[in-house]
Structure formats: C-alpha cells, structure tokens
C-alpha cells in the first residue's frame, strides 16, 4: 500500500545560516505526525539535527549549508512519504520528552491495576521501550550512566511483575524530561525578541531599473535603494543620496545621523527621512542582525557551573549506587530491595532539578522582558556585589528634552523662542522636533505663530515665513553656510552648552540669529528607585561611568545617591576601570547600551545591555533587556538571587533525602 505524505504544507517561520524553522500542517488522519516529520527530516542529506513540536506544529532543522539548503530541504520534506521506521521523538532519543510521550506513560500507569495479567507486561515494556533503547545506546557508547541505572530498575521491576513501580518510574522520568525541554523551547522563542525583524522585500537596482525583490535574494555588490521609513536590510556604504538614519538599535544614540556618499550604514537601522543608494557589503547571515540571531540560537545550550557540577556528581555516584544495589542483593537475595536502591539513585533529582530550575527562571525572566543568555548569566548576576552604570540611555532616557532657551534678540522671550520653533517644527517628525513641540506645549506663555508652507531640508533643518520674514531652524551648518548668518560672535555661549553635553538648534529670523535651543536627554523617572532596590538585593557599591563632562556626571551622581562616578571617559577607559575593580575583588555587573560600552560589558562579571542599545552591546552582554525599562535591571537581580537560592535548597534536599532513601532501600 502506498504511504501518504504526512505533510500538506510548510511555512518558513525563521531562517539563519544552517538552521531553519517551519510551521507545518498534516492530514487530519495522520497519527504521530510530529515524530515522523522529525525523523523524515533527519534522514535528508546534509541534515545535522531535526526536532519537532507537535503542540506548536513546528519543525526545527539544523543542517550543513555546504551540503544542502533550506529550499532543498523544504522540497525534500514535501516529497517524502511517512517513514515506517520506529519513531525517534525528542532530541535525546528517549522519546519521552514530548507531551504525547508523557500522556502515553500516564495512561499506562493509570491502567496498570485494571489490565488483564496477560497485557500488563507488553504494555509496560511498550511504555518503557524508548528508555530501554536509550540506556542500551548509553551503555554501548558511554558505559555506566544514570540512564543505565534507570533502565535496570525498570527491567527488574518488570521481571518481578511489579508493573506499578515500573510504570511510575518511566512516567516520572518522562515528565521531568518534558518539563525541561518545554521550558527550553519556550525560552528559545523569547530569544527572537532580541533581533529586530527586517523588511521582507527590498528595492535594488538591476540593469538600470529599480526592482522589488525578497530580502533573502540580495547579493553582495547589489545597489540597495532605501527611503523614508525603511529598515536597512544590509551592511554597506552609501553610494549616493542623503538621509537621516536612526542608529539607536546599533549605537544607542538618540539623535539621528546624517548619511551621505561614503558613509557606512548597518542593518537594522531606520531611515527617518531622505533616500540613499547603498552598496551591499554584508548580506543575509553575515549582517549584524543575523550574527546576533545565530548567537542567541545557541545561548541556552551552555551549561552553568552548578548544572555541570550536579551532572558530574550524579554520574560519579552511578558506580556507588550500582555497588550498593549489588551488595544489597548479595546479602539479602531480594530483587525488590535491589530495584528500590536503583530507583532511589541521585540522577533524576540532581540532573533534572538544576536545569529545570535554571530554565524556568530564564523563562520567567523572558516573560518579564529580560533575556538571560544561559544559566551562567544567572549565576554571575546572583554573585554580583558591585553595579556599574553607563549614563546615557541607561540612567537617562536617551530621549531629548529642551533644557535651555537662549535669547539673542531682546524682542523675544525664551517662551517665544520655543514656540516660534515649535510652530514650524510641529510638521516635522524628528526627535529634535518632537522635543521642541513638547517644550512648547509645556510653556507657561505658549502661543502659535502662523507661517507659510514649511520647507524641509534633509539633514539640515526646516524653513518657512512668519509675517513676511524667513525663519530657519536647524544645524549650525544650515545657518552659517546655507543662510550666510554669522554665529561666531556667540561662540562662548555655544561652547558652554556643548561642554554640558547638549545638542543645539539654531534659530534665525529675518536673516538674524535670534536664539539657541539646548536639548539633552532626561533622567529616567525610576532610576533612583532602581538604585534603592539594588542595594536591598545585595549591591554593596553602585557607580557610574560616562564620557560626559564631569559637572553633569557629578550632578547626576548626587541626585541618585551613587557611591561614585568616573567622567570624560573613552571606551577603553571604561574597560580598564572594570578590570581594575575586578582585580580588587569586586564582582561587577555593568549596565550599558552603546558600541563604546561593549568592552566593559564583555569584561564585567555580568554584562547587562539595554533594549535600545547597540547590537554589539547586546551581543557582548550576558543579559539583554527586552523592554526599555531600567527597572528590569533590579528585576533581573531578584530573579537571579531567587534562582540560585532555589537551586541551593534543591541540591541540599536532593542529596540529603536521596541518601536517606538509599540507606532505607538497602
């Protein structure tokens, strides 16, 4: 009889180099589809590993890109018929990790007292078959392991016709394995929030024409055309045009950057205004965003020191438990006592409790907007006693607000200056314009100035007419070079504002410079609260590092009650300070967001990257915040403390109780 294909549809959900995830559909009459699909995929040429999730209708395949491709695998899967060989569900081959496997073993357990005697043995063996097969593989490849003990205990129970004990053991093992793997799968989905989705389609120049193609088809050397509202899909160099690009996702800088011919642009950054042509240098899996996706895919596979210690201890105890079981049998000739010793070994408690505790904490953190890149990050943050913050975009919002309204023409008041600028800027969606309009709305004596049509000059500013006079708001370059207005007479004021770390808007009216607006990012409302929470959670010292001027840093440190600060730093200075503090014995958690913070983030005991930070900062950090809320730093510390306390308690209970149970069983 012809076997039917167990797939009717494949929809590609996510793809990186060497890894692809599909959502699939199967015929309603197909049974055991998830395991069959994973097995069919694993049998395709070039496939390294395949895993399916029946509940989510999801198939994940890891493959060698030198031997095959996602397209070839998709075609092969759709053409393949359902395999007839035994299922190999679950990544470890036990077949116990899936919800279906747990349910099967629960049914076997509940049915045991009601089954006829002739059916009890085959039903129990069928339920335990994946466990027994895995134990044989372990024995052949690795020698005596905890899985061998588990299988031996079940086998002795079946031999003694103690079916309830055998089915209880297989069910509990399957349940523990399922809990661990389901938490890992859900945590894996949360990792995707770290990477911004790129455009599905891209405009490129081909043979003198602009055509729209899928982003996956862009090649190195293509000329990509990107306009207002586009997320740049490649890393490259601007060939022509001019645009303001919001690079907050890459650099943490809140003010958009002007990009012209010769400037470099990065994937994941947003064009706020203008249009540029870009030479594609890195595409697909080699872009910054894709490299981060590849990194986070592997983050949960790294085992922590606590997890490795528990696993090593469990395996070291295998010979002792086996010897104790053998000794009990020699002395008592009682198989029941022997099986009891084997069933009471340490492996389940030590090997499953620790990773489940870690991954459940990581999953809980992810739901609360915190991504721990592996269990080691939890351990290190729990140990941290010194918290060091970068300033801009971390303790401050990174969003601009008007701090100074400097009047240079006495015909106007400071509020007039702000409202003049806002009347024209309100039509312009730019961080500077938004800040000016917000300041005008908050002004005590605000009013609107009627004006003619607004002229937008990309990367320079805006211009219009009020009462027949030309008004210009924008950069110094716009005012001096394009409008021919002398700014040098106010150089002292300009330098003072720059020293305070402020961004300046120049305002001219009737060919005269009438004022300056100074803008700066504001302190986060909950920064002080977070500092207090961290102290309560065990932080002994809290410091701030910044490249900003000393006066501003000192003011902020006093406002927040910090233990100290370092100002006017270069990127290498931050890393050097971290290294010196580590040498003095401090366990440091560093919180930052910019490219210049990457060395400090990677050098700290635990690095925490803000949500709007640069991609390289998030890649360098051990922990990435998925929400732009500094309160998540304190939440992360609380979760880490709680996880390690739980693991310590579980470890002590497991060793103590299992030792007592082993003694009683023997």
């Amino acid at each position: 009889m012809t076997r039917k294909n167990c797939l009717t549809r494949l929809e590609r959900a996510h793809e990186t180099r060497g890894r692809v995830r599909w959502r699939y559909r199967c015929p309603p009459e197909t049974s055991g589809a998830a395991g069959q699909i994973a097995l069919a995929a694993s049998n395709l040429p070039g496939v390294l590993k395949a895993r399916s999730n029946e509940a989510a209708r999801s198939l994940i395949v890891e493959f060698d890109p030198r031997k095959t491709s996602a397209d070839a695998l998709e075609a092969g899967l759709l053409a393949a018929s359902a395999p007839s060989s035994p299922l190999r569900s679950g990544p470890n081959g036990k077949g116990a990790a899936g919800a279906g496997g747990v349910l099967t073993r629960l049914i076997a357990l509940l049915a045991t007292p009601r089954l006829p005697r002739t059916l009890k043995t085959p039903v129990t063996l069928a339920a335990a078959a994946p466990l027994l097969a895995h134990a044989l593989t372990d024995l052949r490849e690795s020698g005596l392991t905890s899985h061998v003990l588990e299988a031996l205990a079940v086998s002795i129970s079946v031999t003694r016709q103690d079916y309830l004990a055998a089915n209880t053991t297989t069910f509990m093992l399957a349940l523990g394995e399922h809990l661990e793997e389901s938490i890992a799968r859900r945590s894996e989905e949360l990792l995707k929030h770290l990477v911004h989705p790129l455009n599905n389609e891209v405009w490129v120049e081909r043979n003198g024409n602009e055509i729209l193609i899928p982003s996956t088809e862009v090649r190195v050397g293509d000329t990509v055309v990107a306009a207002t509202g586009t997320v740049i899909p490649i890393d490259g160099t601007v060939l022509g045009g001019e645009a303001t690009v919001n690079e907050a996702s890459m650099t943490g800088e809140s003010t958009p950057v002007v990009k012209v011919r010769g400037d470099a642009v990065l994937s994941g950054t947003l064009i706020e205004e203008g249009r540029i042509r870009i030479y594609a240098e890195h595409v697909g899996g080699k872009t910054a965003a894709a490299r981060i996706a590849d990194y986070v895919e592997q983050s949960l596979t790294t085992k922590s020191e606590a997890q490795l210690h528990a696993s090593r201890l469990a395996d070291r105890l295998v010979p002792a438990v086996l010897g104790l079981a053998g000794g009990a049998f020699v002395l008592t000739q009682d198989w029941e006592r022997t099986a009891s010793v084997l069933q009471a070994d340490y492996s389940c408690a030590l090997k499953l409790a620790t990773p489940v505790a870690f991954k459940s904490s990581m999953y809980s953190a992810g739901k609360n907007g915190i991504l721990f890149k592996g269990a080691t990050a939890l351990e290190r943050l729990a140990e941290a006693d010194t918290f060091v913050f970068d300033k801009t975009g971390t303790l401050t919002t990174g969003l601009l607000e008007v701090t100074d309204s400097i009047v240079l023409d006495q015909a106007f008041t400071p509020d007039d200056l702000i409202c003049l600028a806002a009347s024209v800027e309100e039509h312009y969606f730019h961080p500077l314009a938004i800040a000016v309009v917000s300041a005008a709305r908050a002004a005590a004596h605000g009013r609107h100035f009627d004006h003619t049509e607004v002229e937008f000059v990309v990367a320079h500013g805006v211009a219009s007419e009020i009462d027949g006079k030309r008004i210009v708001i924008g950069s110094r370059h716009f005012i001096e070079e394009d409008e021919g207005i002398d700014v040098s007479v106010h150089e002292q004021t300009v330098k003072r504002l720059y020293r305070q770390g402020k961004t300046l808007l120049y305002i001219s009216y009737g060919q005269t410079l009438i004022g300056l607006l100074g803008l700066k990012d504001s302190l986060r409302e909950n920064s002080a609260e977070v500092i207090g929470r961290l102290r309560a959670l065990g932080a002994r010292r809290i410091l701030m590092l910044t490249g900003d001027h000393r006066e501003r840093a000192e003011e902020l440190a006093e406002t927040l009650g910090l233990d100290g600060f370092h100002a006017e730093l270069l990127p290498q200075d931050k890393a050097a300070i971290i290294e010196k503090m580590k040498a003095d014995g401090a366990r440091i958690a560093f919180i930052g967001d910019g490219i210049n913070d990457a060395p400090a983030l990677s050098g700290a005991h635990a690095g925490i990257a803000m949500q709007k930070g640069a991609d390289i900062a998030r890649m360098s950090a051990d922990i990435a915040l998925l929400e732009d809320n500094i309160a998540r730093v304190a939440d992360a510390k609380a979760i880490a403390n709680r996880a390690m306390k739980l693991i310590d308690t579980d470890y002590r209970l497991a060793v103590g109780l299992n030792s007592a149970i082993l003694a009683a069983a023997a």
Side-chain angles (χ1 to χ4, degrees):
M1 184 176 67
T2 303
R3 294 195 307 264
K4 298 184 70 173
N5 190 332
C6 56
L7 283 172
T8 58
R9 182 182 174 187
L10 275 176
E11 177 187 344
R12 206 172 303 184
H14 183 260
E15 181 181 354
T16 59
R17 179 174 171 79
R19 187 183 187 280
V20 61
R21 177 166 63 87
W22 288 284
R23 294 188 182 91
Y24 64 81
R25 288 188 182 178
C26 299
E29 68 275 12
T30 305
S31 61
Q36 294 185 50
I37 292 167
L39 182 56
S42 67
N43 289 331
L44 292 174
V47 171
L48 303 175
K49 186 166 66 173
R51 174 163 60 83
S52 58
N53 184 331
E54 189 170 14
R57 292 290 190 268
S58 173
L59 171 67
I60 299 172
V61 176
E62 295 179 20
F63 61 91
D64 186 344
R66 295 169 297 181
K67 298 179 180 178
T68 188
S69 65
D71 292 336
L73 293 175
E74 189 168 312
L77 284 166
L78 290 171
S81 56
S84 56
S85 53
L87 296 186
R88 247 182 8 190
S89 59
N92 58 9
K94 285 192 196 180
V102 176
L103 182 60
T104 299
R105 286 151 186 78
L106 178 60
I107 292 171
L109 174 61
L110 296 176
T112 299
R114 299 173 179 81
L115 286 173
R117 179 171 293 275
T118 55
L119 291 180
K120 287 186 177 182
T121 297
V123 168
T124 302
L125 287 174
L131 170 65
L132 299 175
H134 183 60
L136 286 173
T137 302
D138 262 21
L139 184 62
R140 184 172 59 252
E141 297 178 357
S142 308
L144 288 175
T145 68
S146 56
H147 299 309
V148 175
L149 292 191
E150 294 159 0
L152 192 56
V154 171
S155 299
I156 292 173
S157 296
V158 173
T159 302
R160 295 186 59 258
Q161 298 184 354
D162 188 351
Y163 304 110
L164 185 62
N167 284 316
T168 299
T169 302
T170 55
F171 167 69
M172 293 301 293
L173 290 170
L175 179 62
E177 202 179 313
H178 172 65
L179 287 173
E180 180 183 357
E181 290 190 11
S182 63
I183 291 166
R185 284 194 296 271
R186 286 179 289 179
S187 297
E188 185 181 65
E189 293 303 314
L190 286 166
L191 295 174
K192 306 303 184 296
H193 291 288
L194 183 63
V195 184
H196 295 295
L198 300 179
N199 307 310
N200 293 324
E201 295 182 314
V202 180
W203 287 98
V204 299
E205 291 182 2
R206 295 268 174 89
N207 301 319
N209 298 316
E210 290 185 11
I211 61 172
L212 190 63
I213 65 171
S215 58
T216 54
E217 295 181 11
V218 179
R219 302 188 298 262
V220 172
D222 276 340
T223 298
V224 175
V225 181
T228 302
T230 301
V231 176
I232 297 174
I234 47 91
D235 300 340
T237 302
V238 178
L239 293 174
E242 188 174 18
T244 53
V245 179
N246 187 328
E247 295 185 319
S249 63
M250 292 299 294
T251 66
E253 175 57 53
S254 57
T255 305
V257 179
V258 178
K259 295 292 183 180
V260 295
R261 180 179 174 82
D263 289 341
V265 292
L266 295 172
S267 60
T269 57
L270 173 69
I271 296 183
E272 292 196 339
E273 185 186 0
R275 186 176 187 273
I276 51 177
R277 297 165 57 248
I278 310 165
Y279 177 81
E281 296 173 350
H282 299 291
V283 302
K286 294 186 177 180
T287 62
R291 290 196 301 271
I292 290 176
D294 287 338
Y295 174 81
V296 298
E297 291 291 344
Q298 304 300 323
S299 64
L300 281 179
T301 63
T302 303
K303 291 189 176 183
S304 70
E305 282 302 315
Q307 189 171 339
L308 288 170
H309 176 69
S311 184
R312 285 193 296 263
L313 179 59
D315 283 337
R316 281 203 307 269
L317 290 172
V318 167
V321 174
L322 193 59
L324 184 61
F329 177 73
V330 169
L331 293 174
T332 65
Q333 300 296 305
D334 186 350
W335 283 107
E336 182 176 0
R337 194 184 304 273
T338 303
S340 297
V341 172
L342 294 173
Q343 288 166 340
D345 80 285
Y346 294 86
S347 63
C348 286
L350 291 177
K351 282 190 172 182
L352 290 180
T354 303
V356 166
F358 272 127
K359 289 176 182 176
S360 62
S361 296
M362 291 164 68
Y363 177 61
S364 173
K367 287 171 61 178
N368 286 285
I370 306 159
L371 171 68
F372 282 93
K373 298 181 185 177
T376 302
L378 270 164
E379 285 182 307
R380 290 180 174 178
L381 185 60
E383 294 168 352
D385 56 19
T386 302
F387 281 73
V388 181
F389 286 85
D390 172 54
K391 181 181 73 67
T392 305
T394 305
L395 293 171
T396 61
T397 63
L399 300 175
L400 297 173
E401 64 177 10
V402 176
T403 57
D404 299 86
S405 179
I406 310 296
V407 174
L408 304 176
D409 185 329
Q410 298 308 312
F412 300 93
T413 67
D415 282 351
D416 285 341
L417 201 62
I418 293 172
C419 293
L420 265 170
S423 298
V424 181
E425 293 269 26
E426 66 182 353
H427 307 284
Y428 191 43
F429 296 101
H430 181 284
L432 294 169
I434 292 169
V436 171
V437 171
S438 297
R441 288 173 179 163
H445 304 288
R447 65 190 181 100
H448 186 272
F449 290 83
D450 293 328
H451 55 81
T452 60
E453 185 177 352
V454 177
E455 173 190 355
F456 298 91
V457 182
V458 176
H460 287 67
V462 294
S464 185
E465 283 191 8
I466 294 177
D467 295 334
K469 293 182 180 181
R470 181 172 172 81
I471 181 167
V472 177
I473 303 109
S475 65
R476 180 168 182 169
H477 172 77
F478 191 18
I479 295 292
E480 276 192 325
E481 298 188 19
D482 292 19
E483 297 294 315
I485 299 172
D486 185 19
V487 176
S488 61
V489 293
H490 305 290
E491 196 65 37
Q492 280 191 322
T493 302
V494 170
K495 286 183 177 179
R496 175 176 60 82
L497 293 171
Y498 270 126
R499 280 197 302 272
Q500 295 171 3
K502 294 173 181 175
T503 300
L504 298 185
L505 270 181
Y506 296 77
I507 303 171
S508 73
Y509 182 56
Q511 290 301 111
T512 301
L513 186 66
I514 63 170
L516 302 168
L517 295 182
L519 300 95
K520 198 165 189 179
D521 62 337
S522 55
L523 180 67
R524 291 180 187 268
E525 292 182 357
N526 57 347
S527 289
E529 178 189 346
V530 170
I531 300 302
R533 284 184 61 197
L534 288 173
R535 293 193 190 282
L537 290 166
R540 297 178 183 175
R541 297 182 69 208
I542 301 179
L543 310 172
M544 179 179 68
L545 306 184
T546 179
D548 206 347
H549 297 286
R550 183 175 183 83
E551 295 82 0
R552 169 64 173 157
E554 186 174 16
E555 174 192 349
L556 193 63
E558 290 178 359
T559 301
L560 296 176
L562 303 180
D563 297 309
F565 68 92
H566 297 269
E568 301 178 2
L569 300 174
L570 297 173
Q572 59 268 31
D573 296 334
K574 293 183 181 181
I577 290 170
I578 295 294
E579 286 302 317
K580 184 179 184 304
M581 293 171 67
K582 284 170 61 179
D584 292 338
R587 294 182 176 271
I588 300 165
F590 180 81
I591 304 94
D593 71 326
I595 286 176
N596 61 339
D597 296 325
L601 284 165
S602 59
H605 197 64
I608 303 176
M610 300 296 291
Q611 186 261 342
K612 289 185 177 179
D615 279 355
I616 191 171
R618 291 180 294 180
M619 185 170 64
S620 303
D622 303 291
I623 302 142
L625 304 187
L626 305 178
E627 298 176 5
D628 187 33
N629 187 348
I630 198 174
R632 297 293 170 255
V633 174
D635 292 342
K637 174 64 172 172
I639 289 170
N641 287 357
R642 189 162 57 245
M644 295 311 298
K645 183 177 180 181
L646 174 63
I647 287 167
D648 184 61
T649 302
D650 285 350
Y651 187 82
R652 293 174 184 276
L653 283 173
V655 173
L657 290 176
N658 274 54
S659 296
I661 292 169
L662 272 172

